[in-house]
Amino acid sequence: MNRPYLHFLERYASTILFVVALILLAASFARPRYEARLRRQVARVERTLHKRERLAERYALRAIQAADQEWVDFDDLPEDIVLYCYQNDTMKSWTHEFPIGNDEVDVYPYSYRLQFMSSRNLFSTPLAYIGIREKYVNLGSSWYVVTTQFSKDKRSKVITGIRIKTEYPNSGR
């Protein structure tokens, strides 16, 4: 029984494998459309977040430049931005609130646990761990991008947070 296709495969096997390899190589460089769309969405979210961070930083600098005992109140601060002003280790003013029960910034307990607004646990001090580099943290029932700004003399500190996601709806607020 003579099978012509077997003779063809034997004769051109290396050529066929080379062509298949080239096709697979070309296909490996092709990106699915959803990946390109996802990259565009991520870039758009990053741009939006960076705009919000610059806005929060401008408010923080205005708060730092305020007089030491002056209450800093920003009526035009967007609802998703939280701003806490501290003089030394004492909170002097705030605009909006984080959903946490303890706003201490200089108490570093041995164990670190986040609590909801209903907790008044002294040993849960999530704001004490926020530094000058931005962090994505869970504070109570929401997720925030938080950072700290300091005055030149290091006596004033402003903690800003941009709410990214809320896990549970605020009840009664």
Side-chain angles (χ1 to χ4, degrees):
M1 196 153 138
N2 189 6
R3 299 192 182 192
Y5 62 88
L6 287 178
H7 176 63
F8 178 79
L9 285 177
E10 286 176 359
R11 186 170 178 195
Y12 296 107
S14 61
T15 306
I16 292 170
L17 289 176
F18 181 72
V19 168
V20 169
L22 282 177
I23 291 170
L24 291 175
L25 179 67
S28 72
F29 288 109
R31 291 200 173 162
R33 280 200 248 190
Y34 71 88
E35 185 177 326
R37 188 170 51 241
L38 179 64
R39 287 184 189 274
R40 283 193 304 272
Q41 288 173 343
V42 167
R44 186 172 44 242
V45 168
E46 285 179 341
R47 280 192 307 272
T48 303
L49 180 59
H50 290 311
K51 282 181 187 177
R52 301 303 276 178
E53 286 175 332
R54 286 192 299 273
L55 178 66
E57 185 177 339
R58 284 196 301 269
Y59 279 102
L61 292 175
R62 284 175 45 196
I64 286 174
Q65 293 168 352
D68 286 350
Q69 301 304 319
E70 179 184 345
W71 177 270
V72 180
D73 189 20
F74 298 114
D75 293 331
D76 58 340
L77 186 70
E79 286 289 322
D80 64 332
I81 298 177
V82 178
L83 192 131
Y84 282 10
C85 300
Y86 292 88
Q87 187 69 37
N88 297 323
D89 65 343
T90 305
M91 183 183 281
K92 72 174 186 175
S93 65
W94 66 90
T95 306
H96 306 133
E97 294 180 38
F98 289 118
I100 56 175
N102 190 345
D103 57 17
E104 288 289 327
V105 290
D106 291 333
V107 177
Y108 296 96
Y110 293 115
S111 64
Y112 176 55
R113 295 183 315 149
L114 293 172
Q115 302 290 330
F116 287 92
M117 191 67 122
S118 61
S119 174
R120 299 290 177 210
N121 183 356
L122 178 64
F123 300 110
S124 176
T125 59
L127 298 183
Y129 296 92
I130 296 171
I132 57 173
R133 296 194 61 190
E134 64 188 30
K135 291 182 182 179
Y136 182 66
V137 296
N138 177 260
L139 296 174
S141 61
S142 298
W143 288 88
Y144 291 86
V145 172
V146 293
T147 188
T148 303
Q149 303 284 332
F150 290 95
S151 64
K152 290 183 182 184
D153 60 2
K154 301 281 188 197
R155 288 181 18 181
S156 296
K157 175 192 306 190
V158 176
I159 295 177
T160 59
I162 301 168
R163 186 176 58 241
I164 304 297
K165 181 180 178 186
T166 300
E167 295 289 328
Y168 307 107
N170 289 339
S171 57
R173 288 170 137 268

